[in-house]
C-alpha cells in the first residue's frame, strides 16, 4: 500500500509469522486477533482449556515488545485487584495510587466468567474509555490497550454469565478449537525439544502498532459497501428468529474491524468479502435468538447465513 510505511507492512508479516510458529494451523484466528488489535478492539475467546489461547496472547505481547499482565478471575477477585488502589502514607500524609495489572498494553483476563458481576463491571470503563477511575481520580491506560478475555464453555458451576452490556463491548468473539491430526502431530514434533515461545523475539514496537491503528482510519469504505454493512446489522434486528439484534455499537465495530482486516490484507479499501468474513465473529455474540427459534433448531450461524442471502451484495460494473 502506498500509504503505509514499508517497515510497518513488514512488521505485520513478522508478527503474523511469530504467532503462526506458536499456534499451528490457526491462520484465520490469528488474523482475527491481529485485526482486533489494529482496530483497537477487545476479544473474547470462548474455548476449552489447553487449546493455546494463553500461548497465542503471550506470543503477541512478545512480538510487539508490549507489557503483558494476566488476571486469574475467581469469585473472590475484587475490582481493586484489577484497577489498583490508593494507599495512604502517614509520613507524607498523602494517598499514593498503586496501579493494578490493568495498567498494561495486553491484559489477559483468564476465565472472566468466574469473576463476580461487580468485578466484571470494573473492566467496562477500561474497555470503553481506555482509563480507570479510583477514588475519583482518572488514570489513563497505556496505549495501545488490548483486553483478551477467556471463558470455558463447558464448566458452568461457579460461573457468572457476562451481561449483554459487557458482551457488546467486545469487538470479537471466537475460539481456537482443537487442531486436526496432522497439525497436532507437527505440534508434538516442534515442541519435543523446546517451547516455541522461547524462540519468539520482538519484531515490532508499540509505537508501530499505534501508527498502524492510525492507518486503519485512512482505509476507504465506499458508500455502497457501507450500505451493505449497515444492511446486514439492520437485518439482524428485523429477523423473525432474533429477539435482540446487533446494536449501533456493533455496526461501528464491524466498520473498524473491516478496515483493519483490509489493512492486514495490504489493501487501502474494504470489500464485501471482508464484511462477510468478519460478521460472524463481530455480530455473533451480540445476537439473542427467540426461545421458539432455538427450540426449532435455529442458531446464530444459520440466522447470519439467512441475513447474508437477504442483503444484496454491491456489484461494480466496468466496461
Amino acid at each position: 500500500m502506498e500509504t503505509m510505511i514499508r517497515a510497518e507492512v513488514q512488521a505485520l508479516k513478522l508478527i503474523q509469522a511469530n504467532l503462526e510458529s506458536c499456534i499451528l494451523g490457526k491462520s484465520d484466528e490469528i488474523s482475527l486477533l491481529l485485526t482486533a488489535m489494529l482496530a483497537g478492539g477487545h476479544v473474547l475467546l470462548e474455548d476449552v482449556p489447553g487449546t493455546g489461547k494463553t500461548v497465542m496472547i503471550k506470543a503477541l505481547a512478545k512480538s510487539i515488545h508490549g507489557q503483558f499482565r494476566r488476571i486469574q478471575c475467581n469469585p473472590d477477585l475484587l475490582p481493586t485487584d484489577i484497577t489498583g488502589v490508593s494507599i495512604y502514607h502517614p509520613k507524607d500524609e498523602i494517598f499514593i495510587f498503586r496501579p493494578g495489572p490493568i495498567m498494561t498494553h495486553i491484559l489477559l483476563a483468564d476465565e472472566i466468567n468466574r469473576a463476580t458481576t461487580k468485578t466484571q463491571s470494573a473492566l467496562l470503563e477500561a474497555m470503553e474509555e481506555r482509563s480507570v477511575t479510583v477514588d475519583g481520580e482518572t488514570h489513563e491506560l497505556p496505549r495501545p490497550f488490548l483486553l483478551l478475555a477467556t471463558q470455558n464453555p463447558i464448566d458452568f458451576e461457579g460461573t457468572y454469565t457476562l451481561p449483554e452490556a459487557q458482551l457488546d463491548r467486545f469487538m470479537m468473539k471466537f475460539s481456537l478449537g482443537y487442531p486436526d491430526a496432522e497439525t497436532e502431530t507437527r505440534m508434538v514434533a516442534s515442541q519435543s525439544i523446546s517451547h516455541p515461545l522461547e524462540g519468539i523475539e520482538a519484531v515490532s514496537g508499540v509505537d508501530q502498532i499505534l501508527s498502524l491503528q492510525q492507518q486503519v482510519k485512512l482505509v476507504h469504505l465506499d458508500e455502497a459497501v457501507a450500505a451493505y454493512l449497515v444492511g446486514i446489522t439492520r437485518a439482524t434486528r428485523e429477523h423473525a428468529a432474533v429477539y435482540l439484534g446487533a446494536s449501533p455499537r456493533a455496526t461501528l465495530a464491524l466498520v473498524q474491524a473491516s478496515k483493519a482486516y483490509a489493512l492486514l490484507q495490504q489493501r487501502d479499501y474494504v470489500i464485501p468479502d471482508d464484511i462477510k468474513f468478519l460478521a460472524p465473529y463481530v455480530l455473533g455474540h451480540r445476537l439473542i435468538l427467540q426461545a421458539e427459534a432455538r427450540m426449532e433448531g435455529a442458531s446464530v450461524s444459520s440466522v447470519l447465513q439467512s441475513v447474508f442471502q437477504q442483503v444484496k451484495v454491491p456489484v461494480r460494473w466496468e466496461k
Side-chain angles (χ1 to χ4, degrees), residues 172-202:
M172 292 186 193
K173 176 185 174 184
F174 61 89
S175 62
L176 291 178
Y178 292 123
D180 56 39
E182 181 182 350
T183 302
E184 197 160 5
T185 302
R186 287 170 50 210
M187 180 187 70
V188 170
S190 65
Q191 297 192 26
S192 59
I193 299 176
S194 63
H195 196 281
L197 267 179
E198 297 175 5
I200 293 293
E201 296 182 356

Side-chain angles (χ1 to χ4, degrees), residues 63-74:
S63 296
I64 68 170
H65 203 258
Q67 299 172 2
F68 170 77
R69 297 289 184 273
R70 175 176 179 171
I71 302 170
Q72 187 63 46
C73 296
N74 293 309

